[in-house]
Amino acid sequence: MTTMAKARILVTRHLPNEVENRLTRDFSTELNPDDRAMSGAEIAERAKNFDGLLITSMDRCRKDLIDALPASIRMIATFSVGTDHIDILAAKAKGIAVSNTPDVLTDATADVALLLMLGAARGAVWGDKMVRDNKWGPPSPTYPLGLDVSGRRLGIIGMGRIGQAVAIRAQAFNMILHYHNRRKVDAASEHGATFHARLDDMLPNCDFLSINCASTAETRDLINEKTIGRLPNGAIIVNTARGEIVDDEALISALKSGKLAAAGLDVFKGEPNIDPRYRELDNVFMLPHLGSATKNTRIAMGMRAVDNLEAFFKGERPRDLLTGA
Ligand code: 8YV
C-alpha cells in the first residue's frame, strides 16, 4: 500500500449507516450489509485482500484465526469495549495492532444495569406476564410484592468506567455502595463506595451484586456456589459484563432454592444459546445483550472504531490501542 492509497478494511458485520458511510468514504471497504455471521475460517480467507479488520464481539478472534490471517492485516479494530473474544497476545506476537471502543458505551451499559436491578427486584417479569395473560386479579395489599432497591446495599465487582457509572446512578437511589476491584480507585472515582480488596469480604454486604468486571481467565466462574453462598439470603445479582463470569449451574440452583431472590441478566455464557433453564424461572429478568444497544451509542462505537483505524493507517497512535504493532 502506498501512503496515498486508501487502507483496505474488511467489516465483518453490518454497522449503523452513518458508520458505514464514513468507512466507504475514507477506506476501501468491504461491508456486510446482510449482517451474515462469518466463521473464523471465512474471515481469514476473505482477509487476504485487506489491511485491517473491523470486527464485533460476536467474532471469535482466537489464536488459530489470528495465526491464519494474511501478513497484510496490520490492525484489528473491535466494535466493543470487551476484548475477551480476541487473543491479544497472539495478535501482538504477529505484530497486529488491536483497538476497542471504551467510554462511548459506559452510560448506556450502566443504564441497563439499573434497569436489571429494578426489573429483577420489582418483578418486571411476572408483573408483565400477569398483565399480558389477563391474570391481574382484584388488587390486594399483600400480593404481589417485590423488593426495595432504594436504600439497600449494592456491591459492584469491577470499578472501571461502567462500574463507576453504576455507582453514580445507584447514589440517586440512596444505595449503600461497596466495590471490589483489583486495586483501590482514587477517592473521587469511588462515589462513596467502600473498597474491599477481597471479594469474599464484600459479598456478605450485598443485597444487590452488579458484575462490571472484564471477562478474563481469572474472572471465569467468579460467581459460583461458594461466592453466591457468601451473599445474604434473598440477594439479587445483575450481570451486564459477560456470561463467562457466572457459573450457570450455581446461579440457577440458587434462584430455584430461594437463596437468591432474583437475577437480572443481559449477558449469558454461549449466548444466544443460553442455558434453557433460565427461561423457566420467573425471578430472572433477561435481556438479549442490550447494554450498548441504543442508536446513538452504536453510532458512537462505530465512529470510535473508525477513528482508531484512521489514526493507525495515518501512522499515528490510535487512541484505544491495546497492543502495539
Ligand atoms: C457488544 C459489548 O459489543 O462492547 C462490548 O463489550 O459487549 C457490546 O457492546 C455489542 O453487542 C456489539 O457486538
Side-chain angles (χ1 to χ4, degrees):
M1 193 186 86
T2 69
T3 45
M4 297 307 288
K6 286 181 175 177
R8 301 161 303 170
I9 308 297
L10 175 65
V11 184
T12 60
R13 300 301 295 253
H14 177 40
L15 299 180
N17 292 338
E18 292 81 348
V19 179
E20 293 195 340
N21 291 343
R22 184 175 160 202
L23 279 162
T24 310
R25 190 192 66 199
D26 296 345
F27 294 93
S28 171
T29 311
E30 183 173 304
L31 302 174
N32 181 359
D34 300 330
D35 203 29
R36 191 176 57 80
M38 292 185 227
S39 68
E42 185 178 350
I43 292 175
E45 176 59 28
R46 282 175 177 258
K48 278 186 185 138
N49 303 318
F50 293 93
D51 305 305
L53 299 178
L54 203 173
I55 66 164
T56 72
S57 61
M58 281 95 76
D59 303 304
R60 309 276 104 191
C61 261
R62 302 287 178 232
K63 189 174 183 321
D64 53 347
L65 166 56
I66 288 177
D67 288 348
L69 288 174
S72 61
I73 294 291
R74 294 165 53 214
M75 176 164 187
I76 299 173
T78 182
F79 179 85
S80 62
V81 66
T83 55
D84 51 309
H85 54 297
I86 307 173
D87 189 329
I88 293 186
L89 289 179
K92 192 180 164 83
K94 211 170 160 174
I96 298 175
V98 178
S99 68
N100 66 342
T101 60
D103 304 321
V104 288
L105 46 62
T106 300
D107 284 335
T109 308
D111 289 351
V112 168
L114 268 290
L115 171 65
L116 292 177
M117 283 167 55
L118 291 162
R122 300 300 300 271
V125 173
W126 49 254
D128 180 87
K129 193 165 162 34
M130 198 179 280
V131 181
R132 268 176 217 284
D133 293 352
N134 203 12
K135 298 269 168 56
W136 188 7
S140 155
T142 54
Y143 177 84
L145 301 179
L147 292 165
D148 288 311
V149 173
S150 294
R152 303 200 51 224
R153 300 169 297 173
L154 167 65
I156 298 171
I157 303 182
M159 201 59 149
R161 288 171 287 253
I162 297 171
Q164 288 173 37
V166 170
I168 292 168
R169 285 155 177 73
Q171 280 183 315
F173 286 80
N174 289 324
M175 297 189 88
I176 299 150
L177 303 179
H178 298 266
Y179 75 100
H180 165 67
N181 199 47
R182 274 170 299 190
R183 56 174 183 83
K184 190 170 169 11
V185 299
D186 61 77
S189 307
E190 285 184 322
H191 301 287
T194 303
F195 174 60
H196 298 265
R198 296 180 61 236
L199 177 62
D200 276 359
D201 295 339
M202 177 175 85
L203 293 171
N205 300 293
C206 304
D207 300 312
F208 290 81
L209 185 67
S210 177
I211 305 172
N212 298 107
C213 56
S215 171
T216 63
E218 291 74 43
T219 61
R220 191 176 172 92
D221 291 337
L222 184 66
I223 303 306
N224 53 40
E225 191 183 346
K226 188 174 147 287
T227 45
I228 291 174
R230 291 189 67 78
L231 287 165
N233 291 338
I236 292 177
I237 294 180
V238 301
N239 189 4
T240 48
R242 284 291 182 267
E244 283 69 21
I245 301 164
V246 172
D247 173 359
D248 288 327
E249 198 63 48
L251 181 59
I252 289 167
S253 127
L255 287 164
K256 280 186 174 165
S257 71
K259 165 68 193 173
L260 293 176
L265 305 174
D266 187 44
V267 288
F268 300 81
K269 251 190 201 126
E271 62 187 49
N273 303 313
I274 68 170
D275 189 317
R277 292 174 295 173
Y278 281 120
R279 297 197 187 99
E280 285 149 28
L281 299 172
D282 71 358
N283 55 350
V284 192
F285 179 39
M286 298 187 281
L287 297 173
H289 202 147
L290 296 185
S292 67
T294 70
K295 191 167 188 285
N296 288 343
T297 298
R298 288 283 165 85
I299 293 171
M301 288 166 68
M303 294 303 184
R304 187 83 171 222
V306 180
D307 287 348
N308 285 313
L309 286 164
E310 249 169 29
F312 180 81
F313 286 105
K314 263 200 266 170
E316 294 164 9
R317 186 188 163 81
R319 171 176 183 181
D320 306 310
L321 187 69
L322 295 165
T323 177

